[in-house]
Amino acid sequence: MAYDALTGSLWLEYAPGPPRPALDGAVETEVAVVGGGIAGICTAWELARAGHSVVLLEADRIATGVTGHTTAKLSALHGQVYAEVKKVHGARGARLYAHSQQLAVERVAEVSEELGIDCDLERLPAYTWTEDPGRTDELRAEADAALEAGLPASYVTETSLPFPVAGAVRLESQAQFHPRKYLLGLAAHMERLGARIYERTRVTRLKEGSPCELTTERGHTIVAQYVVVATHYPVFDRSLLFTRLEPKRELVVAGPIAADRDPGGVFLTSEGGTRSVRTAPSGREGTRTLIVTGEQFPPGTTEEGEVGERYARLERWARERFGEVEFSHRWAAQDNSTTDRVPYVGRLHAGTRHVFVATGFAGWGMSSGVMAGSLLAARIRGREPAWTSLYDPVRLHPTRDVPAMLKLQAHVAKHFVGDRTPGAYVDSVDEVGPGQGAVVRVGGRLLAVHRDEAGALHAVSARCTHLGCVVHFNDEETSWECPCHGSRFAVDGRVVEGPATRPLERTRVDDGEGRQAEDGGR
C-alpha cells in the first residue's frame, strides 16, 4: 500500500481549537510547568485547581508531541512489570506502584465525568499475552505478582483476541480514551481557573534558586518559585538522568474494522518486537478503528528503507490475525525507559527543593503521566504521598542501575566514536539521491545532507546539539535522529524532539552541479 496516502496520528485529527499565544515578555508565577503533554498538563491542572498561580510553557502546540502520538491505553497492567518491580523494590514497592497507577486510571474517569469531558473513555480489561508455550510460567508469575500487589489480576488461557494464545495475564477495570480530547478539556478548565498557557515557546535555560528563572529561545524570562520539567526527555538534566534513560521509537498503524471484530480489550505482548492492540470509535456506524503498535527500535539506528519495512511487517501481522484491514493512519511514538522500569517523578536532583521532573514512562505515559501530575502537585503543596520515594529520580540501586547505566553508556560511546569513522559517512553530496539523506564529510566537517524530491539540498551540521553525537537519517519520517539520547530534528535543523533545545546549525554545500545550496535549496 502506498504510504503517502496515509495520514499521521489519529488523535491529531481532533481540532485543537485556537492557538494559545507565544510568550512575548517577562512573567512571574508561583509554578512554571515546562512541557504541554499529559504529565505537564495534568500537573498544571492539579495545581490550578488547588488555587496556585501556574504558567504552562510548550515549545509547539499542547498535546501534540509524544502524548499526541500515543496509543492511549490507560492501564495499570504494564507488560510484565510487577515481578520486576517486586525484585528491585520489594513487595511494598510493587504494591505502591500498583496502587498509584490504578488511582491514575480512576482519576481520568472521575475528572472526565466531573468536568463533562467527552473523551471516548471506555472501561475494558487489559491483557498481557504470549503465544509461546515456553513463556507461560513467566506470565503465571506476573499474574501472581500483580495480584499480590493488590490488583484484581488473574492468569487465563483464553482471551477475546481472534487467535489462540498460550496464556495471558488479565486485569479488570482498565480503560482506553482519546488523550487530546481529555487534555484539551483540562487545559480549557485550568485557563478558566486563571492558569496561563503559552505555545510556540521553547525554554532553553534554567537558573535555579529561590525563585528560579527560566529563559526562552527569544530571550523572555519566567520567574517562578517552583519549576516542573515535563518535556518527556528532560531538557535540563543536572542529575545526569540521560545516563539512566533509554529512548525507543515504536510504530503505529490504524484502520477501520467491522465492529463485531472488536476484541473488546487492550492487549500487549513483548513477542515479535512488541505488539500492542486496541480499538477506538471510528465515527462510522458499524465500524471501529483498529490500532496496532510495535516494531520497537532505538532512534537513529535504522538503515535506509528499514522503517518502511517495519511498517509493512506490522500491517502483515495485523492482517494475519484480524483479517483484511485497509490501514488509513500510521505514525510513530517515542518514549524512554529507566534502568529499573519505574518512572522518575520528583526532585530533579538531590540538591533542589524547587525543581521537579517527570520522565521515563516506558510506553505507559497515560497512567504514569496522570500519576505524575498528582504526585508533583502534592509535593509542591508540601505533601508526600506514600509512593514518593518509589518514583524519586534521586534513587539509585547499585546492583541494578550501575550495570544498566554502563550498558547504555557503552551504546552512546559506540555511536559517539563509530559514527565519525570512515564508512559511517559518504564523501560527496552526489551520493545523496532525491528523497534521501546522509552524513557527508565536506571540508573535514560532517554535515547532515538531505536532497528533497525536487533535487534541492538541505544541509545542517551533523552534530546533535545535546551532547555532540552524529545524527542519522530516518527516510520514512524525513528527519534526523540522534542515536545517543533520541533528539530528533527536521531537515532544516529545527528541533522536533528533545533533549536538544537548539537547532542543528544550517550550512551551505555544493549541490553537485556547481551551485551553492543552503537549507531549503536557497
Side-chain angles (χ1 to χ4, degrees):
M1 184 174 183
Y3 276 124
D4 46 350
L6 301 184
T7 64
S9 168
L10 184 71
W11 319 122
L12 295 184
E13 292 183 348
Y14 179 67
R20 273 82 178 180
L23 182 63
D24 192 25
V27 298
E28 293 188 13
T29 185
E30 186 178 359
V31 184
V33 178
V34 185
I38 189 165
I41 291 175
C42 287
T43 301
W45 177 79
E46 295 279 3
L47 288 165
R49 182 186 177 95
H52 294 270
S53 169
V54 181
V55 166
L56 177 70
L57 306 148
E58 165 57 38
D60 194 357
R61 301 291 303 277
I62 61 171
T64 59
V66 174
T67 297
H69 293 80
T70 176
T71 50
K73 295 192 297 185
L74 187 60
S75 175
L77 185 65
H78 298 172
Q80 294 173 240
V81 75
Y82 289 99
E84 185 72 15
V85 172
K86 180 181 177 182
K87 184 191 307 180
V88 178
H89 297 279
R92 181 175 183 272
R95 287 194 298 272
L96 292 172
Y97 187 94
H99 185 55
S100 60
Q101 295 290 333
Q102 187 61 40
L103 278 180
V105 176
E106 304 304 329
R107 185 66 168 158
V108 173
E110 294 166 1
V111 171
S112 59
E113 182 177 3
E114 177 189 343
L115 300 183
I117 301 173
D118 182 4
C119 58
D120 302 333
L121 182 73
E122 299 173 305
R123 299 305 295 261
L124 299 164
Y127 296 86
T128 300
W129 92 87
T130 182
E131 297 176 55
D132 180 1
R135 296 191 60 205
T136 55
D137 286 347
E138 293 177 31
L139 293 192
R140 288 181 187 275
E142 179 63 17
D144 290 342
L147 185 63
E148 182 184 352
L151 297 174
S154 60
Y155 177 80
V156 298
T157 55
E158 294 183 356
T159 71
S160 51
L161 288 167
F163 53 87
V165 302
V169 183
R170 176 183 170 115
L171 180 60
E172 306 295 340
S173 301
Q174 304 308 290
Q176 58 189 20
F177 73 138
H178 192 303
R180 276 176 55 75
K181 289 182 179 180
Y182 180 70
L183 293 175
L184 292 176
L186 288 189
H189 184 244
M190 72 183 188
E191 286 178 312
R192 292 195 295 272
L193 294 173
R196 291 166 285 175
I197 299 176
Y198 296 100
E199 297 181 324
R200 312 290 193 192
T201 302
R202 185 178 298 280
V203 178
T204 58
R205 181 184 175 192
L206 166 64
K207 180 180 179 182
E208 293 188 52
S210 184
C212 300
E213 184 177 286
L214 296 164
T215 306
T216 72
E217 64 183 349
R218 296 181 180 179
H220 303 307
T221 59
I222 305 96
V223 175
Q225 289 297 320
Y226 297 95
V227 170
V228 174
V229 181
T231 54
H232 179 240
Y233 201 121
V235 293
F236 307 114
D237 197 0
R238 311 285 165 80
S239 56
L240 303 181
L241 290 180
F242 68 83
T243 65
R244 295 187 281 155
L245 288 170
E246 181 179 13
K248 286 285 180 66
R249 284 190 77 67
E250 192 167 33
L251 308 182
V252 189
V253 294
I257 59 172
D260 59 8
R261 290 161 59 195
D262 181 2
V266 294
F267 304 85
L268 176 76
T269 181
S270 61
E271 295 166 6
T274 301
R275 295 291 185 264
S276 170
V277 175
R278 64 158 286 192
T279 66
S282 67
R284 294 170 52 194
E285 186 175 354
T287 68
R288 298 274 294 180
T289 299
L290 176 69
I291 303 171
V292 180
T293 308
E295 296 297 320
Q296 292 185 347
F297 57 92
T301 62
T302 54
E303 301 294 333
E304 183 178 353
E306 182 182 340
V307 177
E309 292 172 4
R310 286 177 175 271
Y311 272 117
R313 191 155 60 227
L314 196 58
E315 284 194 350
R316 286 196 301 271
W317 182 93
R319 289 189 175 115
E320 288 169 0
R321 288 161 171 78
F322 291 90
E324 188 60 29
V325 183
E326 285 298 320
F327 288 100
S328 54
H329 295 74
R330 64 156 182 171
W331 67 92
Q334 187 160 313
D335 214 336
N336 308 297
S337 298
T338 69
T339 51
D340 65 359
R341 300 193 63 183
V342 175
Y344 297 136
V345 182
R347 297 170 296 165
L348 181 62
H349 57 83
T352 186
R353 288 185 294 177
H354 300 278
V355 182
F356 297 85
V357 69
T359 188
F361 296 154
W364 299 102
M366 298 301 96
S367 62
S368 291
V370 174
M371 178 279 300
S374 298
L375 176 56
L376 294 179
R379 296 203 65 184
I380 288 171
R381 300 182 67 203
R383 304 172 184 175
E384 294 208 352
W387 42 89
T388 297
S389 61
L390 172 68
Y391 292 105
D392 195 339
V394 177
R395 70 182 187 271
L396 186 66
H397 303 277
T399 58
R400 169 76 190 202
D401 287 352
V402 172
M405 289 167 62
L406 292 175
K407 181 179 177 181
L408 287 175
Q409 294 320 297
H411 167 81
V412 171
K414 171 186 173 183
H415 283 283
F416 192 87
V417 176
D419 292 345
R420 287 169 165 78
T421 60
Y425 53 85
V426 300
D427 293 317
S428 170
V429 296
D430 294 343
E431 299 179 52
V432 184
Q436 296 180 337
V439 174
V440 183
R441 182 173 286 280
V442 178
R445 186 183 180 198
L446 293 180
L447 302 181
V449 178
H450 167 63
R451 190 187 299 273
D452 64 28
E453 296 294 347
L457 291 177
H458 304 252
V460 293
S461 169
R463 294 187 62 204
C464 176
T465 55
H466 176 227
L467 291 177
C469 290
V470 177
V471 297
H472 290 213
F473 190 64
N474 180 331
D475 61 334
E476 194 70 19
E477 298 183 77
T478 317
S479 61
W480 296 103
E481 299 177 348
C482 175
C484 294
H485 305 106
S487 294
R488 301 180 62 245
F489 305 86
V491 292
D492 64 359
R494 289 177 295 109
V495 177
V496 174
E497 191 156 352
T501 59
R502 292 177 291 110
L504 299 176
E505 180 188 353
R506 299 182 184 186
T507 188
R508 300 175 67 89
V509 294
D510 190 296
D511 70 355
E513 297 183 7
R515 297 189 300 263
Q516 288 292 311
E518 195 176 1
D519 173 65
R522 294 188 300 274

